[in-house]
Amino acid sequence: MRYWLMKSEPDEVSFADVLAAPGRTVAWFGVRNYQARNFMRDQMQVGDGVLFYHSSCAVPGVAGIARVASGPYPDASQFDSASPYHDPKATREQPRWISVDVTAVAEGRYLPLTELRAVPELEDMVLLQKGSRLSISPVTAGQWTRILELAGVDAAVTR
C-alpha cells in the first residue's frame, strides 16, 4: 500500500463535495503535470491512502482522508473543448491525461499547512519542500501515520 497527497482547489472539488457525492466517490480530473500524471498512471493502486488537500484557498491544508478507488483511465476533460482542461493534442486513441476515482474515508480535523510545517516528523514531506508545487505527491508511511494522529483519525478506518 502506498500513500499520496492529492491537491484540489475547494472551489472546484472540496472534501465536502466528495462526502456528498454518490458513493462518496469522485473522479480526480484535470491533472496537467506529467510527473503527477505518471504517479496516477504508473504507481497508484486501488486501496492506496490519500490525504485530500485543499490548495489555492485562504487556509490550505489536509481536509480529509480518502483512498484510491479505481485504476487509471483517460481523463474525459481533455477531450471536451468547453473544459478549461481541454487538450487539443489529446485523442481518444492516444489520450495524454488520466484520472483515477477517489473515495472519501474519514474527515478528521482540518490540518492547516502552517500546522504541518511545525511538525518535525513532517519536515521531509514533499509538500513542505521549497518550490514544491506538485498536485500529487507521495507520502511516506510515517508521514501518513503522523497526519492521521494529528487529524484524530483512527488508522483502522483507512484500511
Side-chain angles (χ1 to χ4, degrees):
M1 181 172 183
R2 292 186 173 141
Y3 306 100
W4 306 94
L5 182 132
M6 298 176 77
K7 294 180 182 176
S8 179
E9 296 178 13
D11 290 347
E12 185 151 352
V13 178
S14 70
F15 194 69
D17 294 333
V18 182
L19 289 170
R24 297 165 52 128
T25 301
V26 297
W28 203 271
F29 65 94
V31 171
R32 296 299 182 264
N33 172 283
Y34 288 105
Q35 187 175 5
R37 180 217 48 201
N38 293 349
F39 284 143
M40 290 195 306
R41 184 189 68 198
D42 303 334
Q43 296 182 36
M44 280 188 180
Q45 296 182 359
V46 173
D48 282 357
V50 172
L51 300 174
F52 194 108
Y53 186 88
H54 284 175
S55 66
S56 299
C57 58
V59 182
V62 175
I65 309 301
R67 79 170 52 97
V68 176
S70 77
Y73 58 89
D75 178 343
S77 68
Q78 69 190 309
F79 310 122
D80 181 358
S81 60
S83 170
Y85 301 109
H86 177 249
D87 184 340
K89 294 180 182 175
T91 65
R92 294 198 185 276
E93 296 75 31
Q94 291 190 318
R96 295 177 72 185
W97 307 107
I98 60 115
S99 294
V100 296
D101 292 342
V102 174
T103 298
V105 174
E107 191 164 11
R109 181 175 71 82
Y110 193 87
L111 298 173
L113 177 60
T114 53
E115 183 176 338
L116 297 175
R117 288 194 185 285
V119 179
E121 299 94 332
L122 302 179
E123 69 183 7
D124 292 333
M125 194 170 184
V126 173
L127 169 74
L128 304 180
Q129 301 310 301
K130 190 172 192 132
S132 176
R133 299 189 43 81
L134 278 177
S135 61
I136 297 172
S137 58
V139 173
T140 68
Q143 293 162 351
W144 172 263
T145 300
R146 185 68 178 119
I147 289 174
L148 292 182
E149 290 169 356
L150 292 168
V153 173
D154 182 353
V157 303
T158 66
R159 293 188 190 112

